[in-house]
Amino acid sequence: MTFTAPVLNYAILSPMLIVLAGALIGVLVEAFVGKALRPIVQLILTVATLLLALVQVFRIRGSESLSAAMGSVVFDGPGFLFQAAILIISIISVFLIADNENFTALAAAIPGSAEEQAAIQQGNKVTEVFPLTLFAVAGMMLFPVSSDLITLFVALEMLSLPLYLMAGLSRRRRLLSQEAALKYFLLGAFASAFFLFGAAYLYGYSGDVTFSGIRDSVVGGSGNDIFLLIGIAFISIGLLFKVGAVPFHAWTPDVYQGAPTAVTAFMAAATKVAAFGAMLRIYYTIFANAEWSWTPLLSGIAIITMLFGSFVAIAQRDVKRMLAYSSIAHAGFLLAGVIALNKAGLAASIFYLFAYGVATVGAFAVVTLVRDSAGEVTDLNRWTGLGKRSPWVASVFAFFLLAFAGIPLTSGFIGKFSIFSAAYESGAQGVVIAGVLSSAVAAFFYIRVIVLMFFTDSHEDATTVVIPSVLTRITVIFSFVITVALGVYPAPLIDFINKFATFIR
Amino acid sequence: MNAANYLYISALLFTIGAVGVVVRRNAIVVFMCVELMLNAANLAFVTFARINGSIDGQIMAFFTMVVAACEVVVGLAIIVTIYRSRRSASVDDASLLKR
Amino acid sequence: MNISLTLLMALPLLGAAVLAALPKTNGVLAKQIALGSTILVALATISMAIGFERDNVNLQYVESHPWIPSFGINYAVGLDGISLVLILMTTLLAPIVVLAGWNESQNGRWSTKTFYILILVLEMMAIGVFAATDVFLFYVFFEAMLVPVYFLIGGYGTGERSAAAVKFLLYSLFGGLLMLASIIGLYVLSGAQGGHTFDTQALSQLQMSSTTQNLLFLGFFIAFAIKAPLWPFHTWLPDAADSATPGTSVLLLGVLDKVGTFGMIRYCLTLFPEATKTFTPIIITLSVISIIYGAFLAIGQKDIKRLIAFTSISHFGFITMGIFAMTSQGHSGATLYMFNHGFSTAALFLVAGWMISRRGSSTISDFGGLQRVTPVMAWAFFFAGMSSLALPGLSSFVSEFLVLVGTFTRYPVAAVIATFGIVLAALYILIPVQRALQGPTTAGNENLPDLTLRERVAIAPVVVIILFLGFYPSPLLKVINPAATHVISQMGFSDPAPTQLGGK
């Protein structure tokens, strides 16, 4: 028996390898570096790793390969864009994660126990969160460039498992946080099982686990259509779960609320890019020729997701829950880009993902600033009069909300316009109209928060805004600047995306 | 024996698992049901590998086992933490987030 | 000196930037800077108007730079007669509002300088919205200008200010989003017919089925009808005008709402000529209802600000009717009406605002016999009222007459019914004027101070403009007429004979 050595294209894999190496070094740092030095070492290591990976991604941006790792990884324009977007968003959110106010001192300790007290007094910090972040980032980067079902599944788990853990690390209200972790984990594993089952049927349909093989079978149309339909349906369930589309959204509000806000920011922004990245690749390449089987259903899901997210968000009294439902609505808008199934749709989706991701990180970063003596205050009723007490923080938050609402001169508007026009172009006018209407509904609750902050006089148990630490300030300023820049002059980024937004098959 | 029968078994196992996730209340049992679903998918993979005469499905099954093992590590860690905090692993008790 | 539209828009922004750099405490300096920059903008606009070639129907002062090239979006601005007149109105009103509302920012939630920053940003966006010749750019200004107005009402208004601000914003956003859907439709159509573009000229050449055209037209029209406001989309206006400060109300009704009627001319008519013809009967009906409805409700109002708001609904009915009558007199009249309405509303709101702030009440019955106590203020109010009811010799008479004549040649019944609106106008103006000004001085009014020098200076230009244009409207009409005729002829209409009438 001969053994053929696998051929790996290291140049193309290098960004992911860098992140993984950084993560592993991070684990070693946990083991060998003293407690006092650990946070700063980890932060520098993480940021350096991500920056290095980003540079490397940009260096290989022109290259295309269908078989970077024996046909398991594909690298092309969109793959580059997804990876770059994930890295940029991660870099911005790492600064927020590094703000140690957000995490528990000792995750294993029972909440309220003496053990925990001791850990707090010793100044313990869960620096594990940095390598966990890096592992998740590596998974996210792999997810949209996988080109066979095995890699796709491994990447899915690789991005999910660290996030499950990170969701449980909140410093305050730890029971809530642990509960969020449990819910996220159980539902996430449930969705993975669906995903895997779908993958099995796609394999059964085509006899091949690579995307190109499956695509050939779909184009040829020779296999058993029932297998294909089961495969598409179950894989879609798994992906729709990850992006938080209705009816697979149940975890979103709970996890967004319970998880430490810094993790929520990272998760909400970066996971969306990764999951939609994979979704776009799968639907645009392997399922494109079976359009008849999924477009109607996905359009329905998109419409329901937009409307549900917008309407339910109105009833929310908690900032993080409100942002969670708003993210559900945005998932609906993004699905319109998937349905569009044209180049404009792909480019628009990538722009939207990036713009939305950055604004989301910024908005959650502001949420971490609003506190009282017991920690973050997410109850909207206690945000009243924030505009009076700290006009800058409130104005920045209002700006992010306007971006979510899609008011012109913010990045959200350009994103919305491009994604809706792509969907309209492909003939999905119904989705566009639903999108426009739900934008109107969504505007209502965004504006309600602005009213609370600026036009309502504050109660006695008012919250204070802590003076942002340098790290959080970096996050907020970066996200704000990007959101403004993309709203006022998005042309360079749009051109850049257009240049790369073509999947190779 | 007809290979399709294995597919039926796999579908049955998957359904049992899915129903179990929805109706059972103990986090450990729910988690076991998820594992059952994963194994159902594995069975389907192996069956299809047999039907298609390719080896990819079997490889996939191995990967699934490894990933499932990782999931157990993470999952049990989370469940045990929650159990220690409230002396119960029922998902119904974990309802602070509901309002 | 060559003044470009971009420079004109940059001036108020520059003023706002200077204000932003000021310390919060120095309110007076902030006001002076705001006044200075608005006056500068007004002067710049006047010099542009002088340089405007009146008989040239092409766009002038054209600028075009690519903004988002991959979507075919340009930063493209230019002026025709109609937009020039509206920009002139905007920039003339701005310094008057600043001067008249010198102390308006006192009851605000935020500092004085924020108030003037918002006003200046709003002025810049208003110039942009009238000057834009790219539909996308227009939309951006159209939506973005909601934000400063929202904060002006919600932050500096009185009473239920935040509720009114939210109502205003939601109505406008809803309309704006419908328009967005239509704009996307246009964009896709243009892409299918030779490349994505947002240029108004290019878009008017698009081929589309009548169903598509009707739907897209409705998207635009509803947005403009909410803005204008036309019955039955008007319900946000009385609340907003009631809560806003007088200066904000002037900008809201005088400038912002004109965007609606301007948009009908610029976009509904030129982009969708066929659909316009289909919907004209319905729109004329709505306009007539607006005229009568607004007038009746104005008669019933006890609150002076709400009264003015309802009179405006009636006036906007006239404007819309003039636009959709599809005659050149109707169009000229409607455009002139927009200009005149800006000033007569300004006069009404500003004087009413002074009365209210002196008396501390906005209920009409609280006033009485002001003629004796504060003669100047009383005369100013009387004059504003006369201008609003279109007394011959005042500017609004010319425009109202033109609109009615223009409509009569095509829709005689509508014109006749609308004429009743004038009769009602006499009622809704004369009743409060009589109550507030004549008769014995009622309790609480005995010691009201008369207008200060600043207030007199502020109201004087308004009075002069109203009087001057009442006797001699031709400078404006000479600018408006070629543009109006151009729009009508582009639509494929010709005036029914007999034509030559009125203030030509």
Side-chain angles (χ1 to χ4, degrees), chain A residues 371-396:
Chain A
R371 297 184 192 157
D372 64 5
S373 53
E376 266 168 41
V377 174
T378 54
D379 184 359
L380 270 179
N381 289 329
R382 295 186 53 196
W383 278 49
T384 49
L386 197 68
K388 191 104 192 158
R389 292 193 300 279
S390 28
W392 283 107
V393 171
S395 305
V396 169

Side-chain angles (χ1 to χ4, degrees), chain B residues 15-87:
Chain B
T15 316
I16 293 174
V19 171
V21 171
V22 177
V23 299
R24 294 303 296 263
R25 284 289 153 251
N26 188 306
I28 301 274
V29 178
V30 170
F31 185 45
M32 283 162 67
C33 289
V34 171
E35 291 295 314
L36 186 61
M37 292 165 75
L38 289 178
N39 284 319
N42 257 352
L43 181 57
F45 263 115
V46 174
T47 313
F48 281 126
R50 176 84 180 186
I51 293 175
N52 293 328
S54 77
I55 203 166
D56 291 338
Q58 298 180 22
I59 298 173
M60 183 84 185
F62 279 111
F63 270 94
T64 312
M65 284 184 226
V66 175
V67 168
C70 300
E71 241 178 40
V72 171
V73 173
V74 169
L76 284 184
I78 293 173
I79 295 173
V80 166
T81 327
I82 248 192
Y83 178 75
R84 293 208 314 157
S85 326
R86 34 172 123 221
R87 298 273 135 218

Side-chain angles (χ1 to χ4, degrees), chain A residues 77-147:
Chain A
F80 153 65
L81 292 170
F82 292 134
Q83 291 197 339
I86 290 167
L87 284 169
I88 294 173
I89 290 171
S90 309
I91 292 170
I92 300 176
S93 29
V94 159
F95 289 106
L96 189 60
I97 290 173
D99 204 338
N100 53 33
E101 259 301 296
N102 294 320
F103 292 98
T104 171
L106 187 61
I110 299 168
S113 65
E115 212 180 345
E116 191 188 23
Q117 287 304 320
I120 291 175
Q121 269 165 14
Q122 284 169 17
N124 247 7
K125 277 158 196 162
V126 279
T127 40
E128 304 92 288
V129 72
F130 290 101
L132 284 176
T133 309
L134 284 179
F135 278 121
V137 170
M140 288 170 184
M141 288 169 72
L142 183 57
F143 200 38
V145 296
S146 314
S147 71

Side-chain angles (χ1 to χ4, degrees), chain A residues 403-414:
Chain A
F404 290 147
I407 302 284
L409 299 179
T410 63
S411 61
F413 171 64
I414 305 285

Side-chain angles (χ1 to χ4, degrees), chain A residues 89 131 267 466:
Chain A
I89 290 171
M267 178 174 74
V466 292

